[in-house]
Amino acid sequence: MDTYWHQVSTQIGHVDGIGLWNSFTRNFSSPLLAAFDLLDNSFDAAPMENGHIHINPDKSFSDDDNDVKGFFIVNNCENKIKDLSEVLTVFKSTKGGAADAIGENGVGVKQGCATLSDRSFILCRNKYEYSLGVVALELQKETGIYLPSFKFIWDPQHHGSLDGHIDYELRKICRENTDVAAVVEKYGDDDLSRGILALLNHFLHISSGLWDLQSTDHVFSLVICELKHGNVLDYDESDDENSDYDMQVAKKTRKKVKAERRTKRGFLSQILEGLPRHYLHVGHSFDVQVDGRVVSFSYWQRRLVEMTHFKLLISKKEIKENEDVDESDRLESYEQDQYMLDVYFGFDAIRCADPESKKRATLVYHSRRAGRLIKEHQDARGELSLSAGGTTYCQGLTIIVDDKHGHFPLNPTKTDFAFGEQSYGATHQENLKAWIGAATKIYYNHHLDRCGKSKAMLTKLLTGLKSKVERLQKELMLKAIDECTLTTFEDIDWKFSYKTSAVVVRSKDYQVITGEDTLIPLQGCKSHQSIKASNAAKKVNTTPAKTTSKVAAKRGRSKTTTETSSKKSKNVKSEQDNTHAKNDTLYYERELLKLQKERDNLYEENEKLRAKLEDNRLGIDAESEESEVKRLRQQLDFFMRRADRLAEENDKLIVNWGT
């Protein structure tokens, strides 16, 4: 069998290969961050609409979960995949200058592979053109770094079957490159033929099914052969720490001792759990699966109480007042020295109710197109120059900064910022913190005012919402965070104070617009409108009170007489209020019971709908899926709107009952 086209790339650099490899393994603070760095490449390369990323255990050599040593990632690509010879060149990234890209097979793929395993393979397909790259510790030498890659083309008219041609090419690569053959042999548990067969199956996998040659032109796959950090899949562990002591007790008491079995989470389960919180902008149309389990994103939308969206104008060079600008001026400012930044706020009721969790304000930074988590502050009060005394700015307050368009300079591993590389980086960072801090103050104080400035009341109301938030975690959310219509604060009168170098609000005469996608409102407290009405009423009632006291003094009424009549009137009013309260209590109790029953039925219907939607995503053909999903989404939207109306009615009943 003749090879239609074959190329071997041997990347031997003039650096210490072993030393450079060791430096690769020390760039991430945890293996999970290394895995997310590899997944950044997949999110960048895959199309945002109808993109697919699948992560599966590598069961090439055993179906026993306990024997699985590695895993592999497969994703479709919107554009042609660059040559692996470029991808594996040291000190070179193929992502270019794209501001919204966070990866796409640059330095990160080498660092990520080296961190997770001593032996990895990169497979890719551009239509009928196949490539294989090898990232292995045993290939490195003190004389240079060696990351080989190979490329061949399958021509159906001349090369016969696909599996036969790939098998021929793999054997030829191993025959002509004995060092690579040794790596493949290690992959096959010291059996070269088994290693070749496993690679052949991986190549066939990216050429069939979801990734077949007719419907998908560009497919990328990464095989992590032996994970260095724990088990790939979940496993049971015996709790035998006190086994000797237990056996002694058993002999004396003649009782049998059974070791407790605990399920430990494998690496893929950790990825599954961390993905929704790690990426903001993954919509419903983006298919992400881990070991066959569909990943449901929209993490914060289903978790935060009173989730609110602020848009802030950030200057990179000088602090300016955050005024409204025309759309044309705004677009022009993007290209110059200022930009619009999305910041989201909410209260985490689960964290607020958990006695083991910290309640302080948490600040998370996300960046680039996929909204990748970059940095997190467990206590953001110092970072944002907020009051850090007592429980102020606590209660599970969560601040999410979304740098979707890539204005934040990042370090190579995307785990921190690099403002030092910008000419006005220090000013940019100072402006960023000042405006986020100002928005935090107005958001937190607004909801504190709704609770009568009582932090204890705010904590109590949030704790009471824990069960509702936990139910929402099981429901399917169809929108990414930037597609949601969340609550907003409008007409804020901002001002920059040059004395304190801080951004302040001139007055509280702003508007709060409730968003239809803010799923969890704060119940049992005053609304923004009632606060404004109460403040206005206080101003109106101040003057008549003074006038009345003056008239009473002129008429010569004694202080004692006035106080006595006032007490009598208060007692009469109190008795009337008690009578009304007793009559109204039965009414409100009945209404609340009706409301709760209807709400429970709604949750049951929503759960059935969510399960049906997931089944249809996985179990029907593509043509039927589109129409069925559209119908189910309309039905789900109806349920969500009805849930919002029920929540509003519930708020009114609770407020009326309390007053």
Side-chain angles (χ1 to χ4, degrees), residues 409-514:
L410 305 179
N411 68 358
T413 56
K414 286 88 73 177
T415 56
D416 206 343
F417 303 124
F419 284 104
E421 73 177 27
Q422 294 183 338
S423 301
Y424 298 88
T427 303
H428 183 188
Q429 188 174 23
E430 181 183 349
N431 293 346
L432 181 66
K433 293 179 181 179
W435 282 109
I436 297 173
T440 303
K441 289 178 183 178
I442 191 173
Y443 174 83
Y444 181 82
N445 290 327
H446 167 75
H447 291 292
L448 195 61
D449 288 343
R450 292 179 62 194
C451 297
K453 298 187 182 299
S454 171
K455 290 178 282 188
M457 182 64 175
L458 178 58
T459 300
K460 182 179 179 180
L461 294 177
L462 290 170
T463 303
L465 289 169
K466 178 186 176 184
S467 58
K468 179 178 180 179
V469 175
E470 288 176 336
R471 286 196 298 268
L472 277 174
Q473 304 310 298
K474 301 177 182 178
E475 297 184 8
L476 187 64
M477 182 76 181
L478 303 180
K479 296 179 180 178
I481 194 170
D482 55 335
E483 299 172 349
C484 291
T485 303
L486 300 169
T487 297
T488 58
F489 283 48
E490 305 293 341
D491 302 325
I492 301 175
D493 192 6
W494 299 105
K495 180 183 179 181
F496 175 71
S497 173
Y498 288 92
K499 292 182 179 180
T500 60
S501 297
V503 181
V504 296
V505 178
R506 289 190 177 95
S507 71
K508 293 185 178 181
D509 191 23
Y510 48 79
Q511 301 295 324
V512 179
I513 311 300
T514 302

Side-chain angles (χ1 to χ4, degrees), residues 113-286:
C113 288
T115 301
L116 296 177
S117 175
D118 290 336
R119 191 178 304 109
S120 303
F121 295 99
I122 301 173
L123 294 73
C124 59
R125 176 176 66 79
N126 287 309
K127 296 185 178 179
Y128 296 107
E129 178 184 297
Y130 292 83
S131 300
L132 172 68
V134 185
V135 182
L137 174 60
E138 54 257 54
L139 295 181
Q140 311 315 316
K141 298 177 175 59
E142 293 183 357
T143 55
I145 187 82
Y146 182 37
L147 303 171
S149 64
F150 309 88
K151 183 162 56 177
F152 56 89
I153 290 179
W154 175 57
D155 185 349
Q157 297 181 350
H158 297 87
H159 293 150
S161 66
L162 177 61
D163 57 339
H165 181 66
I166 294 176
D167 181 74
Y168 168 80
E169 291 291 346
L170 291 175
R171 293 186 180 279
K172 182 176 180 181
I173 291 171
C174 291
R175 188 167 57 251
E176 296 177 355
N177 301 270
T178 56
D179 47 2
V180 174
V183 177
V184 177
E185 185 176 347
K186 284 283 187 181
Y187 175 48
D189 285 340
D190 298 325
D191 187 330
L192 180 60
S193 296
R194 290 184 68 192
I196 291 175
L197 178 61
L199 288 177
L200 169 62
N201 288 330
H202 282 297
F203 272 116
L204 293 177
H205 180 73
I206 65 173
S207 307
S208 59
L210 180 65
W211 327 98
D212 70 282
L213 293 163
Q214 285 69 39
S215 61
T216 309
D217 290 338
H218 314 294
V219 186
F220 184 90
S221 179
L222 181 61
V223 182
I224 304 296
C225 298
E226 293 185 23
L227 183 67
K228 295 192 292 187
H229 310 277
N231 287 42
V232 174
L233 299 174
D234 297 347
Y235 64 98
D236 290 332
E237 182 184 65
S238 298
D239 185 10
D240 56 358
E241 294 178 356
N242 300 316
S243 57
D244 293 339
Y245 173 78
D246 291 340
M247 291 303 297
Q248 292 176 7
V249 173
K251 289 179 181 179
K252 293 180 180 179
T253 60
R254 297 183 180 180
K255 292 182 179 180
K256 293 183 179 180
V257 177
K258 293 183 178 180
E260 294 184 8
R261 301 195 70 82
R262 298 177 299 182
T263 300
K264 301 274 282 189
R265 290 182 308 149
F267 194 64
L268 293 192
S269 291
Q270 295 176 41
I271 293 176
L272 177 67
E273 182 180 317
L275 273 172
R277 191 177 186 273
H278 211 79
Y279 295 96
L280 286 180
H281 302 299
V282 182
H284 178 68
S285 61
F286 205 108

Side-chain angles (χ1 to χ4, degrees), residues 341-383:
L341 180 68
D342 296 303
V343 184
Y344 303 90
F345 295 88
F347 293 98
D348 191 337
I350 295 178
R351 184 157 61 95
C352 184
D354 186 358
E356 303 296 327
S357 297
K358 295 181 179 180
K359 315 298 189 296
R360 301 161 189 159
T362 295
L363 172 63
V364 290
Y365 289 98
H366 292 258
S367 190
R368 304 310 192 258
R369 184 179 72 168
R372 200 252 214 202
L373 177 62
I374 303 299
K375 191 176 182 180
E376 180 173 358
H377 292 277
Q378 296 292 340
D379 188 352
R381 294 179 295 180
E383 175 77 3

